[in-house]
Amino acid sequence: MSLSDAVCAQLGEYYTFALQKWSLLEQTRNQNHFFVFFNQYGQAFYPESPYLWFRNFLKKHQLRYIKFHDLRHTSATLLINQGVHAKIISERLGHASITRTMNIYGHVLSKADKEAANKFDLALPFLAGIKPKEPERYSE
């Protein structure tokens, strides 16, 4: 899975900062790894630590509680709304098939499809002013 250029640049800056700030090369027992989320000794967090940090962040900033996992759904929804193909989103989420992605995010795709249909009107401005005809009524 690819990371954006902006994320790669931020991670590079963070890596340099972390090495300077905490002298991690000296503190880390295993010199072969650099953990993005780490404790004061340069070791990996317990698996629950990022979730706990996120929960406390939401409370501190008085934001509505969402599960940490919901960030995954937010990411997928944002990508759908940006027009990214469902197959690419499925691969990024690690779904075994595009069918799973479609089952979970089908409602979002329907909204995106409606927006695409409305954008089509912008491409063909002569259609924008046309009102649909009413069905003819038959007299008996």
Side-chain angles (χ1 to χ4, degrees):
M1 176 175 65
S2 299
L3 294 174
S4 72
D5 294 339
V7 169
C8 288
Q10 287 291 313
L11 286 173
E13 289 177 23
Y14 175 70
Y15 178 76
T16 302
F17 168 78
L19 290 178
Q20 293 170 352
K21 176 79 173 171
W22 293 292
S23 303
L24 287 179
L25 289 177
E26 298 169 11
Q27 294 180 12
T28 305
R29 291 183 192 146
N30 186 343
Q31 301 287 327
N32 297 324
H33 293 89
F34 176 80
F35 299 104
V36 174
F37 301 108
F38 54 88
N39 63 20
Q40 66 268 27
Y41 305 109
Q43 299 299 312
F45 272 138
Y46 290 110
E48 192 176 64
S49 295
Y51 158 75
L52 293 174
W53 178 91
F54 180 68
R55 187 184 67 185
N56 290 333
F57 176 85
L58 293 175
K59 285 180 184 177
K60 178 180 176 182
H61 296 285
Q62 300 177 348
L63 297 170
R64 182 177 64 89
Y65 174 77
I66 63 170
K67 294 179 279 185
F68 191 68
H69 181 80
D70 289 343
L71 295 174
R72 175 181 168 90
H73 296 303
T74 301
S75 170
T77 302
L78 291 171
L79 291 174
I80 289 168
N81 288 331
Q82 290 295 316
V84 176
H85 193 281
K87 178 66 176 162
I88 301 297
I89 296 169
S90 177
E91 290 172 359
R92 292 184 68 83
L93 294 173
H95 291 163
S97 73
I98 192 171
T99 304
R100 176 143 177 85
T101 307
M102 297 301 285
N103 288 340
I104 295 170
Y105 300 103
H107 66 287
V108 179
L109 287 165
S110 297
K111 291 177 186 174
D113 180 54
K114 179 64 176 170
E115 288 179 20
N118 288 335
K119 286 182 181 180
F120 190 77
D121 287 345
L122 297 175
L124 301 173
F126 64 89
L127 291 178
I130 299 174
K131 294 181 181 175
K133 291 183 181 179
E134 295 212 16
E136 294 180 23
R137 297 180 187 203
Y138 295 99
S139 58
E140 296 187 29

